[in-house]
């Protein structure tokens, strides 16, 4: 900024800030929350009218709705699914904007009623081959027609796989709004349908999936929680207009996800489906590409012990025998290197996760004590134990 | 300040991920400019947040904008002007009002107040030159004026500042 040869530098120097000003901590998060709220705000014509007009219209609407509610007008759910699928048959693209109570950067499955809302956006181009992109702050997955690529900015890591790779988990059905309704119907979920004000509303109530004898995973994903999905479809076109998901806990339904801005037939730039990955990104590997551990790991607890011992002694090659990546990112090295293991508990299974959760307590080199569950699984063809998350 | 990397923004962002990146790249320089313009970092952050939300809301409309960074400065500058006008209507001087309300006010050297004695279009070009890393070409986008005009305003403004600061001669005399 300073140009010593500039003849006006003497004046400019006196005007320059004595010290640079930086944004407050969490400013960025605050703005992204506001952007998300803006993106998710339902377009309501009511709020644009003066109060007296709104009141008048509300009364008129109620007068129209009362007979409808009284007669309990309902559409047949099965018929509705069929019409909705047909309505989307000619769609060229769909763009879904919403928000989920989750952690930025974490997997797309994770939810928590105490978490703040995080913006989520989905693009689906019904080209041949189809292309799509799903993203939230800190994590993005794009499928260019052949390969799905996931980039996690927090760990600067990238993973590639086939279109069906499990990168987007619960959000996958959102790529096909027509089939999401079909799958709900196929699952035989409890359904209530009503019609009012030009909108068909379908409430689908489902029980938590998986074995929750150990309740660690309960309510940590939508599929592992008792939940209600509320679908809004245009009465005329039968196109999906919105979706809200409520987790039922402690006797009430709490909103954890809503997608109320769904746009059809937008034109997307091809670049949207191709990620620009930093050259120094860590590559996450398939289990078959990993080097074997220097000792035989008998089970999840041994795998967890091996992982933490390797981090404790900063044996990065050994870390890579259980952590599926081509290198250990410098941030992981700095954060976990030299840790001390306080305890490692007995593994358990919970919910829909096919692996095990291993409780652990560690003291980091900076003195911080961390207590959590390491996710470990060996569901790959070679049954190699790999660390899947939880650190 | 992250101006060097901010130059990499080549088109108006269209996705929340792109906005997240844009905010990361430009928040400090925009807040710095607004803070010195308004005398309060709290107010500056409100203004910049408002600008980002509007930038997101109107993203489709601004798809063709390629000078993203200077355009954001233009939005911040306009929003700051609105805030200053509303303060003037409330008959408060910008610094005094903020001192009472928050502890985040910025101390201005008296020198800064000399800018208030310049024609506004000249003062604004000098502020943008001094408080940001924008080039004259980018300042032209930010103030919506041709580059030669921007350079003239800068030159006239600097000359006036010199006279205001040192009525008897140059700074080094």
């Amino acid at each position: 900024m300073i140009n010593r040869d500039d003849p006006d530098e003497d004046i400019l120097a006196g005007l320059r800030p004595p010290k640079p000003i930086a944004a407050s901590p969490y400013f960025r998060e605050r703005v992204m929350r506001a952007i998300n709220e803006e993106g998710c705000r339902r377009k309501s014509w009511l709020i644009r009218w003066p109060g007296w007009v709104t009141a008048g219209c509300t009364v008129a609407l109620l007068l129209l709705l009362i007979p409808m509610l009284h007669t309990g007008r309902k559409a047949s759910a099965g018929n509705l699914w069929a019409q909705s699928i047909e309505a989307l048959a000619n769609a060229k693209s769909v763009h879904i904007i919403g928000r989920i109570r989750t952690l930025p950067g974490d997997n797309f499955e994770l939810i928590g009623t105490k978490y703040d809302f995080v913006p989520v956006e989905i693009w689906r181009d019904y080209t041949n081959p189809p292309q799509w992109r799903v993203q939230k702050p800190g994590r993005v997955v794009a499928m260019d027609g052949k390969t799905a690529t996931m980039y996690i900015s927090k760990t600067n890591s990238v993973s590639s796989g086939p279109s069906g790779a499990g990168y987007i988990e619960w959000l996958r059905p959102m790529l096909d709004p027509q089939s999401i309704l079909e799958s709900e119907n196929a699952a035989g979920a409890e359904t209530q349908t009503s019609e009012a004000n030009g909108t068909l509303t379908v409430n689908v109530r489902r029980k938590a999936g998986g074995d929750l004898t150990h309740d660690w995973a309960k309510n940590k994903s939508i599929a592992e929680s008792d939940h209600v999905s509320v679908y809004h479809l245009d009465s005329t076109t039968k196109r999906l207009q919105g979706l809200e998901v409520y987790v039922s806990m402690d006797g009430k339904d709490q909103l954890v996800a809503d997608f109320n801005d769904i746009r059809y037939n937008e034109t997307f730039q091809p670049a949207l489906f191709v990620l620009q990955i930093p050259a120094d990104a860590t590559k996450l590997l398939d289990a078959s590409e990993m080097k074997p551990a220097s000792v035989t790991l008998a089970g999840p607890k041994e795998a967890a012990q091996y992982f933490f011992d390797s981090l404790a002694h900063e044996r990065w090659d050994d870390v890579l025998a259980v952590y599926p990546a081509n290198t250990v990112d410098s941030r992981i090295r700095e954060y976990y290197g030299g840790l001390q293991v306080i305890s490692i508990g007995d593994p358990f299974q919970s919910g829909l996760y096919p692996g095990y959760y291993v409780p652990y307590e560690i003291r980091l080199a900076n003195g911080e004590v961390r207590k959590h569950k390491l996710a470990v699984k060996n569901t790959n063809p070679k049954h190699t134990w790999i660390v899947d998350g939880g650190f | 300040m992250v101006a060097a990397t901010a130059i990499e923004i080549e088109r108006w962002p269209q996705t929340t991920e792109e906005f997240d990146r844009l905010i990361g790249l430009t928040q400090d320089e925009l807040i710095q400019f607004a803070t010195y313009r308004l005398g309060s970092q709290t107010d500056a952050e409100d203004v910049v947040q408002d600008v980002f939300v509007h930038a997101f809301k109107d993203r489709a409309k601004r798809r063709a904008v390629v000078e993203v960074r200077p355009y954001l400065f233009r939005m911040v500058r306009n929003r700051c002007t609105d805030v200053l006008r509303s303060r003037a209507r409330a008959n408060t001087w910008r610094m005094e009002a903020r001192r009472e309300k928050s502890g985040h006010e910025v101390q201005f050297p008296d020198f800064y107040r000399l800018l208030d004695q310049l024609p506004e279009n000249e003062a604004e070009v000098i502020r943008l030159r001094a408080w940001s890393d924008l080039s004259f070409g980018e300042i032209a986008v930010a103030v919506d004026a041709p580059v030669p005009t921007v350079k003239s305003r800068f030159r006239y403004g600097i000359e006036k500042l010199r006279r205001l600061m040192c009525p008897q001669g140059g700074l080094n005399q």
Side-chain angles (χ1 to χ4, degrees):
Chain A
M1 190 158 80
I2 296 171
N3 178 2
R4 303 279 175 208
D5 299 328
D6 189 335
D8 304 316
E9 183 50 39
D10 53 345
I11 302 280
L12 287 175
L15 290 169
R16 288 212 167 88
K19 59 176 184 178
I21 290 175
S24 306
Y26 307 116
F27 172 79
R28 188 171 176 176
E29 286 80 359
R30 180 154 58 93
V31 178
M32 285 309 295
R33 256 201 311 278
I35 282 177
N36 175 45
E37 281 166 14
E38 182 59 43
C40 295
R41 189 171 294 148
R42 295 196 83 167
K43 294 180 181 69
S44 168
W45 61 271
L46 283 173
I47 59 171
R48 298 194 189 110
W49 293 90
W52 65 271
V53 177
T54 305
C57 288
T58 306
V59 170
L61 269 176
L62 281 172
L63 289 171
L64 286 169
L65 285 173
I66 285 167
M68 199 178 285
L69 294 170
H70 182 67
T71 55
R73 182 177 171 186
K74 287 183 180 179
S76 152
N79 188 34
L80 187 57
W81 307 139
Q83 289 176 37
S84 179
I85 292 166
E86 195 181 324
L88 282 169
N90 296 322
K92 290 177 183 149
S93 72
V94 62
H95 180 189
I96 302 173
I97 301 168
R99 56 182 187 160
I100 299 179
R101 287 193 187 277
T102 184
L103 295 175
D106 215 308
N107 68 64
F108 285 108
E109 193 98 70
L110 179 72
I111 58 155
T113 54
K114 304 281 186 218
Y115 296 145
D116 283 336
F117 278 107
V118 167
V120 176
E121 213 161 347
I122 299 166
W123 296 259
R124 173 76 146 98
D125 208 334
Y126 293 96
T127 46
N128 187 21
Q131 298 174 305
W132 49 262
R133 177 183 176 117
V134 178
Q135 71 179 40
K136 66 176 183 177
R139 182 174 289 233
V140 56
V141 184
M143 208 285 285
D144 61 5
K146 288 181 185 170
T147 306
T149 304
M150 173 175 69
Y151 178 67
I152 305 166
S153 56
K154 188 176 175 185
T155 53
N156 189 30
S157 53
V158 60
S159 179
S160 297
S163 171
Y167 297 145
I168 54 173
E169 299 100 3
W170 177 80
L171 286 171
R172 178 168 294 281
M174 296 293 286
L175 295 174
D176 289 297
Q178 69 274 37
S179 65
I180 193 172
L181 301 172
E182 192 177 30
S183 67
E184 293 279 27
N185 199 37
E190 182 192 332
T191 305
Q192 283 186 323
T193 308
S194 60
E195 182 176 0
N197 196 25
T199 300
L200 284 161
T201 302
V202 185
N203 288 24
V204 181
R205 191 172 284 276
R206 292 178 81 154
K207 287 283 184 193
D211 182 353
L212 289 163
T213 310
H214 194 300
D215 67 359
W216 163 252
K218 182 86 188 272
N219 298 330
K220 287 193 171 61
S221 74
I222 288 171
E224 290 164 319
S225 59
D226 297 337
H227 64 275
V228 187
S229 303
V230 181
Y231 298 93
H232 303 281
L233 292 89
D234 185 282
S235 289
T236 311
T237 65
K238 303 297 184 294
R239 278 189 174 171
L240 187 67
Q241 289 182 313
L243 164 64
E244 291 121 36
V245 182
Y246 299 83
V247 163
S248 308
M249 59 187 291
D250 304 327
K252 52 184 181 178
D253 292 337
Q254 299 182 48
L255 182 69
V256 292
D258 70 60
F259 300 89
N260 282 323
D261 189 354
I262 302 182
R263 306 168 187 180
Y264 295 94
N265 296 327
E266 284 185 347
T267 302
F268 304 137
Q269 296 300 315
L272 184 67
F273 305 108
V274 180
L275 300 184
Q276 300 301 317
I277 305 296
D280 63 345
T282 299
K283 190 181 172 201
L284 299 175
L285 303 176
D286 185 79
S288 62
E289 300 172 281
M290 295 167 65
K291 289 184 295 184
S294 55
V295 295
T296 303
L297 302 173
K301 187 169 185 176
E302 289 73 17
Q305 277 170 335
Y306 185 86
F307 177 64
F308 285 123
D309 282 349
S310 303
L311 288 170
H313 296 99
E314 302 187 355
R315 296 192 309 257
W316 310 119
D317 282 347
D318 289 344
V319 170
L320 294 175
V322 282
Y323 175 59
N326 66 338
T327 182
V328 180
D329 184 76
S330 59
R331 280 161 285 196
I332 294 177
R333 292 179 190 225
E334 281 167 28
Y335 192 69
Y336 290 101
L339 62 80
Q340 283 180 289
V341 176
I342 298 171
S343 66
I344 293 182
D346 291 329
F348 63 88
Q349 290 190 288
S350 180
L352 293 164
Y353 182 59
Y356 292 81
Y357 296 105
V358 185
Y360 69 85
E361 189 172 358
I362 55 174
R363 182 177 290 108
L364 301 171
N366 65 11
E368 178 192 339
V369 172
R370 187 169 163 79
K371 200 172 175 181
H372 198 38
K373 314 280 188 292
L374 197 69
V376 184
K377 68 179 180 185
N378 71 337
T379 52
N380 51 76
K382 284 187 177 176
H383 300 295
T384 304
W385 286 102
I386 62 166
V387 172
D388 208 18
F391 72 98
Chain B
M1 298 280 279
V2 286
T5 45
I7 292 166
E8 294 166 11
I9 307 159
E10 288 169 350
R11 66 178 185 94
W12 202 266
Q14 295 297 310
T15 68
T16 49
E17 182 84 7
E18 288 170 350
F19 266 93
D20 189 33
R21 179 170 172 269
L22 174 73
I23 294 164
L25 289 172
T26 58
Q27 59 179 8
D28 288 346
E29 57 180 352
L30 293 173
I31 287 171
Q32 170 162 293
F33 176 78
T35 300
Y36 279 93
R37 192 74 185 95
L38 299 173
S40 157
Q41 182 160 354
T42 309
D43 285 357
E45 292 195 354
D46 285 348
V47 160
V48 175
Q49 174 173 333
D50 196 38
V51 162
F52 278 129
V53 171
H54 274 87
F56 174 77
K57 210 159 75 175
D58 296 337
R59 61 195 186 282
K61 205 163 68 183
R62 301 189 202 282
R63 198 184 286 267
V65 174
V66 287
E67 304 260 26
V68 177
R69 198 167 140 252
Y71 202 94
L72 283 173
F73 268 96
R74 185 198 294 192
M75 293 173 75
V76 168
R77 182 182 153 259
N78 290 340
R79 191 74 193 89
C80 286
T81 304
D82 293 343
V83 171
L84 292 170
R85 278 187 189 142
S86 65
R87 281 187 200 168
R89 277 199 294 274
N91 200 24
T92 54
W93 188 64
R94 60 178 184 259
M95 295 297 292
E96 298 303 334
R98 301 322 301 170
R99 279 198 183 105
E100 288 170 17
K101 280 182 80 174
S102 80
H104 293 90
E105 76 281 358
V106 175
Q107 299 300 320
F108 281 74
D110 288 342
F111 191 48
Y112 285 22
R113 298 189 190 180
L114 294 177
L115 286 169
D116 293 342
Q117 298 181 41
L118 300 186
E120 182 51 31
N121 57 10
E122 293 172 11
E124 194 67 341
V125 169
I126 293 173
R127 286 187 198 108
L128 284 163
R129 189 76 177 148
W131 299 345
S132 78
D133 280 340
L134 296 182
S135 65
F136 280 117
E138 290 170 324
I139 291 171
V141 174
V143 301
D144 197 16
V147 175
T149 307
V150 165
K151 287 185 174 174
S152 303
R153 288 177 187 171
F154 179 77
R155 171 68 35 222
Y156 293 141
I158 288 287
E159 284 168 9
K160 284 172 192 161
L161 272 182
R162 272 188 206 286
R163 284 197 293 275
L164 286 166
M165 288 160 55
C166 307
Q168 306 303 317
L171 273 179
N172 300 321
Q173 291 181 12

